[in-house]
Amino acid sequence: MSNSASEKILTLRKIIRDHDYKYYILNQPTITDYDYDRLLNELKELENKYPNLITPDSPTQRVGSDLTNEFKNIHHSIPMLSLSNAYSLEELRDFDRRVKDGLSEGSIPEYVCELKIDGVSISINYENGLLKYAATRGDGTIGEDVTQNVKTIRSLPLIVTPKEDLHDILNFEVRGEIYFEKEEFQKLNAEREANGEKLFANPRNSAAGTIKLLDPKQVSKRPLRVFLYYFFTDEYAVQSQDENLKILKKLGFRINENFRVCGTIAEVEEFCNKWEVTRENLPYEIDGVVIKVNSIQHQKNLGNIAKAPKWAVAYKFKPQQKTTLLKNITWQVGRTGAITPVAELEPVLLAGSTISRATLHNPDEIERKNLMIGDFVLIEKGGDVIPKIVSVDFSLRQDSVTKIEIPEQCPVCKGPLVKNVDEVALYCVNRDCPAQLKGKLIHFTSRTAMNIEGLGDSLIETLVDNNFLNTFTDIYDLKSKRELLINLERMGEKRVDNLLTSIENSKSTPFPKVLFALGIRYVGAGAANKLAMHFKSIDKLISASHEEIEAINEIGPRISSSVKDYFSDKENLRIIDSLKKHNINFFIDSEISISNTLEGKSFLVTGTLVKFTRDEIKDAIQKNGGKPVTSLSKKTDYLIVGDNPGSKVQKATELGIPILDEDTFVQMIEGKSNV
């Protein structure tokens, strides 16, 4: 085994985890599905070659997760598996060969082809005909309870009437895809643009963001739709996937009628080719076709491999492409000072949204593609993420095209630009550049950092332009400017008071998130957590040597150098000192000693907590010797309940499991309660 292989595996895992976070948590993917699968396959090949390097936390050992801390968890009775992907007809034929090899001799498989809706997976359970709960896919084993949001989908029955020919089926689970239609998605983005809000990248992105809103009233204002494709019950033995679809339709569920039962792989290929060409005619987005072995018995015989079934595959369409005019190049300034060229395009409809801009990443890409203003360019939106320019159609180039000039000054502050050694990007080095300040503030206040609700992109721009905000610390001085804030356009007393409350609440943000919020270059959420948990306080991190920082697992020289550079800057230290005076949390309280008060006891948490976040109460359980669990069983020792705890309370009562509120749990830790 070579050190280079080990290092490559660690690097790939970090890159994939970063993309998982952007895709599942932020709903802001930055690479195509194809590029993501390429990274994952490269990791799989290396791990297969060096199986001793496989660890339980490797991305290859999981389905992928959209779990947050904002909804209570639900354990899936049947795992929601991911699908293997095929990107060519040859790979489809390989799938067919594997299926036939896996079945007994003489078995001829049928396939059901279904359109792959570009939406969000959902599991919905019915008891006695009534919709009981709905859960996201989560990590495939545990999802999040989004029942109230799912109930706003008007095409989804809240009660199912018994059908005589279906043996009065009343207790069952259905699964499907929640999505937006193209027209509704465009309306939603138009409204967001009018309100100065950040636009959704695509319909899937908007559906994922909507289903995770905390206020069901807001969800009800958005026309979510759902197609169901899976049905399971202990009360009836379904024989095939096409019977699954027929039962769903009989029970009153909305299915996608564009499915086909195929007797051969040639028929499957014909179906895939047809819809790859005609997908633009559909009112919703699809990104491929799902092919499933039709017989349920055959599915059971084939089984699963890793986290995907052997009896199904997703055939992914090639990225959609269009030709349009490159009208101009503008230059954006990010929070790190990086200057990014953005192509301004003649608007064109592509993959369900109107594209008028595309990123070019860096000046070198302009030269590499030989781009000129006035060129006709081929653009694509692979995987329905950020559009990019693929190439220039030189056959359409005219004499009137003009060369793209690379700026020598920052387009915002007119400060000097520099190019670091071994980097292709240009950087503005003026720390007072307004564009950098806005980017840093947007990052600092984001949900994954300080989580200051109400302080969105457009309001930050307004506050910077009106000289309310010049550093992070100015955020915590806004309460002294309440009256001035109220008089700003589109503000008012209620909005300002809600904002000030959220700012005050952010002071209790855990240290790992505070460290991430500072925006230290190369220090993402994962690295920030490792650094914070290791050093326990900002002061110890500031005084740490390169060697001490690099000794932390997966923290390399690049991160170490960036951290040291950040804390060697006197202005950054001044800002940290100022934030300390505002009682921002720059340490992990190691004085809360690890005790054995809860030793040998398991705890399940349900409902909305007041005194703790989910991470905090999990940490408190572990620090005191207990074990947090994710599902309720006879072996669970205690159920900790918050507001709106749901059905687990009744089940715990039936099982005789003691129920604790937060105050009793705290007393238990302190040894004041013997519940």
Side-chain angles (χ1 to χ4, degrees), residues 329-333 339-342 363 366 404-407 411-412 426:
I329 295 289
T330 54
W331 299 85
Q332 289 185 339
V333 185
I339 311 298
T340 305
V342 178
I366 293 172
I404 297 168
E405 299 294 335
I406 308 300
V412 175
L426 288 169

Side-chain angles (χ1 to χ4, degrees), residues 380-607:
E380 77 175 25
K381 203 177 180 192
D384 291 328
V385 293
I386 299 169
K388 65 179 181 180
I389 292 177
V390 178
S391 61
V392 176
D393 188 340
F394 292 106
S395 68
L396 298 176
R397 176 171 279 181
Q398 301 176 9
D399 294 338
S400 58
V401 296
T402 57
K403 184 180 178 181
I404 297 168
E405 299 294 335
I406 308 300
E408 296 180 355
Q409 294 181 321
C410 173
V412 175
C413 71
K414 308 306 177 187
L417 299 181
V418 299
K419 191 173 184 179
N420 297 329
V421 178
D422 299 329
E423 290 195 41
V424 294
L426 288 169
Y427 287 89
C428 169
V429 293
N430 174 19
R431 68 162 65 248
D432 296 321
C433 176
Q436 288 185 57
L437 173 60
K438 291 173 183 177
K440 289 174 182 176
L441 288 167
I442 288 169
H443 173 77
F444 184 84
T445 60
S446 65
R447 189 179 73 177
T448 53
M450 300 302 289
N451 192 24
I452 301 178
E453 293 183 16
L455 198 50
D457 299 10
S458 59
L459 181 55
I460 284 174
E461 284 215 24
T462 299
L463 295 177
V464 171
D465 292 342
N466 285 275
N467 207 33
F468 281 89
L469 298 179
N470 290 295
T471 69
F472 299 150
T473 54
D474 291 339
I475 293 171
Y476 297 94
D477 292 324
L478 286 176
K479 62 183 177 182
S480 65
K481 301 174 183 178
R482 179 178 179 275
E483 297 306 318
L484 293 173
L485 289 172
I486 289 171
N487 292 325
L488 288 175
E489 186 179 355
R490 291 167 56 192
M491 290 301 286
E493 285 194 34
K494 185 175 180 181
R495 186 178 178 188
V496 169
D497 287 341
N498 288 341
L499 171 62
L500 295 177
T501 298
S502 184
I503 290 171
E504 187 65 25
N505 291 341
S506 74
K507 293 179 180 180
S508 61
T509 300
F511 175 37
K513 287 192 173 186
V514 176
L515 184 59
F516 172 63
L518 294 178
I520 304 171
R521 199 172 179 204
Y522 305 130
V523 178
N529 187 65
K530 289 178 183 294
L531 291 167
M533 296 304 291
H534 181 85
F535 290 104
K536 305 297 184 186
S537 75
I538 195 78
D539 294 329
K540 289 181 180 178
L541 177 57
I542 290 170
S543 61
S545 66
H546 281 283
E547 293 75 17
E548 288 173 316
I549 296 172
E550 288 177 34
I552 302 170
N553 185 36
E554 295 187 10
I555 301 293
R558 187 173 70 163
I559 294 176
S560 172
S561 295
S562 181
V563 169
K564 293 302 293 181
D565 288 346
Y566 184 88
F567 292 124
S568 66
D569 187 304
K570 291 182 180 178
E571 178 61 17
N572 290 335
L573 294 178
R574 187 194 66 77
I575 290 171
I576 289 169
D577 284 339
S578 183
L579 288 171
K580 285 180 178 178
K581 292 174 183 175
H582 284 286
N583 297 317
I584 305 304
N585 189 8
F586 278 112
F587 65 95
I588 292 173
D589 192 354
S590 56
E591 296 305 314
I592 301 175
S593 59
I594 298 176
S595 74
N596 60 357
T597 308
L598 309 180
E599 188 173 359
K601 304 297 183 184
S602 61
F603 296 80
L604 177 68
V605 182
T606 185

Side-chain angles (χ1 to χ4, degrees), residues 292-350:
K292 304 172 185 174
V293 171
N294 193 22
S295 164
I296 301 298
Q297 186 56 54
H298 282 176
Q299 291 180 11
K300 291 177 180 177
N301 292 343
L302 289 164
N304 306 321
I305 183 170
K307 298 294 184 179
K310 293 181 181 180
W311 46 266
V313 70
Y315 176 75
K316 302 297 284 289
F317 293 152
K318 296 178 183 66
Q320 289 182 284
Q321 298 181 331
K322 286 281 183 71
T323 298
T324 189
L325 178 68
L326 174 60
K327 296 164 64 177
N328 198 7
I329 295 289
T330 54
W331 299 85
Q332 289 185 339
V333 185
R335 64 182 175 89
T336 64
I339 311 298
T340 305
V342 178
E344 304 291 342
L345 307 167
E346 187 69 37
V348 60
L349 186 64
L350 177 65

Side-chain angles (χ1 to χ4, degrees), residues 182-196:
K182 295 174 185 176
E183 186 177 345
E184 298 293 353
F185 167 70
Q186 290 167 6
K187 286 180 183 177
L188 176 61
N189 259 354
E191 290 172 6
R192 292 178 72 83
E193 187 171 25
N195 293 331

Side-chain angles (χ1 to χ4, degrees), residues 107-156:
S107 295
I108 301 175
E110 271 188 336
Y111 297 109
V112 173
C113 296
E114 302 170 42
L115 299 185
K116 188 174 183 297
I117 309 302
D118 197 14
V120 179
S121 297
I122 196 73
S123 166
I124 309 166
N125 276 260
Y126 286 78
E127 284 192 8
N128 295 318
L130 294 172
L131 193 161
K132 184 181 180 186
Y133 65 82
T136 64
R137 177 168 169 263
D139 64 3
T141 302
I142 298 169
E144 291 181 322
D145 187 342
V146 289
T147 307
Q148 297 308 314
N149 289 348
V150 166
K151 282 183 175 180
T152 68
I153 302 174
R154 297 188 180 277
S155 61
L156 185 71

